[in-house]
Amino acid sequence: MIPFYTELKKAIETTEGDIWAETVLSGEHAGEKRLLHACPEKAGEEDGFQDTFCERVRRTPKLIVCGAGHVSMPIIRMGRMLGFVVTVIEDRPKFADHARAAGADRVICELFASGLAQIKGDSDSWFIIVTRGHRYDTECLAAILKKNYAYVGMMGSRRRTAIVKDKLEEQGVSREILDTVHTPIGLKIGAETPEEIAVSVMAEIIQVKSGRNKNCGGNSGGYTDEIFSGILGTESGGDSPAGQQKVLATIISRKGSAPRSVGTKMLIMEDGATVDTIGGGCVESEIIQKALLMMRMEKPDFQICKVDMTASEAEDEGMVCGGVVEVMLERIL
């Protein structure tokens, strides 16, 4: 199974489009995995596998903000809070310093064209254009639309954004592509202050992300750098020694209320240490115990566990959730 995760990590680092992972859930091939670059409507059936779990593999989401004006500052902070790696491109040194102070992971203080040339772009890149004029908006949008991306939003009045789109259409960019750009940016919540505008922008991004996951069948799984390090045995400086057994837990279905979505993962180490979380509480505790039992026994190497959190049990545990989740457990060999 290690070769699969080595291949997956390489694909995440080198592929710009979507990547899918498919796991057979039952039968003699249960636990077998493969990579896909598209998700068939009936994943697995073409190979005779009737029961499979197919998930779009998320990369760490990247938020690229073009411009470091007053609205960008709360966008940077909220982006970091929501788990994005935030890059800011700004050609004015003083404003670039403001972006650094706001906590941006990377600040490129160069002309927008040269800054965007350093951004590869992929299906987990989210672009926000908040520059100081339509000339810069046009420059940024023209460069971004040549990349792979999950979202492009551009701030400005309807007139200003229309001017930008019309200009790019004259330059040969199709109107169909231009109409995918979110303008004016953000949800209509009556936002006025920079902080309120940032909320509307990030809320729109969350809405797009949620809709994207639903279009993928609701299955969108993430492998953090920490999980990859644990799986591939490259962890260093932690409390868990390398070379020990480990089990990967993945939520593959949920009904009702549950703390985490389908595709959420947690790695359980032989010594009981964990990487990431599938929601905490008694659900996570039960899964950890089952994983530790797997590692103490020769078999099974793969199993699916159902955890039923009825309303009464959830109340006893002090949790607001009362749903049912299925969790796939895979021994990493």
Side-chain angles (χ1 to χ4, degrees), residues 138 203 220 240 306 330:
T138 305
S220 187
S240 300
K306 180 181 287 187
E330 307 168 86

Side-chain angles (χ1 to χ4, degrees), residues 75-96:
I75 287 176
I76 293 167
R77 291 191 286 268
M78 290 182 193
R80 290 290 309 279
M81 289 173 61
L82 293 171
F84 288 85
V85 173
V86 181
T87 297
V88 178
I89 303 171
E90 172 58 61
D91 59 348
R92 299 167 293 178
K94 181 178 179 180
F95 286 80

Side-chain angles (χ1 to χ4, degrees), residues 148-294:
N148 204 336
Y149 54 83
Y151 167 97
V152 183
M154 184 168 60
M155 186 165 292
S157 65
R158 293 186 184 279
R159 179 178 179 277
R160 172 171 159 174
T161 55
I163 290 173
V164 172
K165 289 185 176 182
D166 290 344
K167 188 173 183 62
L168 289 180
E169 187 174 23
E170 291 173 2
Q171 295 175 6
V173 181
S174 76
R175 176 56 63 170
E176 184 179 1
I177 292 176
L178 290 168
D179 286 343
T180 65
V181 179
H182 293 260
T183 58
I185 197 171
L187 298 183
K188 295 180 180 179
I189 59 173
E192 295 183 358
T193 67
E195 291 75 17
E196 290 173 348
I197 294 170
V199 168
S200 74
V201 171
M202 297 312 298
E204 182 174 71
I205 286 177
I206 292 170
Q207 184 182 67
V208 172
K209 285 180 67 178
S210 297
R212 184 185 186 195
N213 290 343
K214 288 178 181 178
N215 291 334
C216 297
N219 303 335
S220 187
Y223 291 83
T224 64
D225 290 341
E226 291 77 15
I227 280 187
F228 269 125
S229 294
I231 289 175
L232 300 176
T234 57
E235 67 269 21
S236 61
D239 295 330
S240 300
Q244 62 177 313
Q245 294 189 73
K246 57 207 74 169
V247 168
L248 182 66
T250 304
I251 297 176
I252 61 171
S253 76
R254 72 172 187 176
K255 295 180 180 179
S257 177
R260 301 299 300 272
S261 61
V262 170
T264 303
K265 293 174 173 54
M266 175 177 66
L267 187 67
I268 302 103
M269 314 299 286
E270 187 178 0
D271 62 2
T274 60
V275 179
D276 290 347
T277 176
I278 56 171
C282 57
V283 173
E284 189 166 291
S285 177
E286 182 173 339
I287 292 302
I288 290 172
Q289 293 306 313
K290 289 181 180 294
L292 291 174
L293 184 61
M294 282 178 67

Side-chain angles (χ1 to χ4, degrees), residues 18 21 87 105 107 283 309:
D18 283 341
T87 297
D105 296 281
V107 177
V283 173
M309 278 296 298

Side-chain angles (χ1 to χ4, degrees), residues 257 308-324:
S257 177
D308 187 349
M309 278 296 298
T310 64
S312 58
E313 290 171 333
E315 185 177 348
D316 290 341
E317 292 289 335
M319 301 175 66
V320 296
C321 302
V324 178

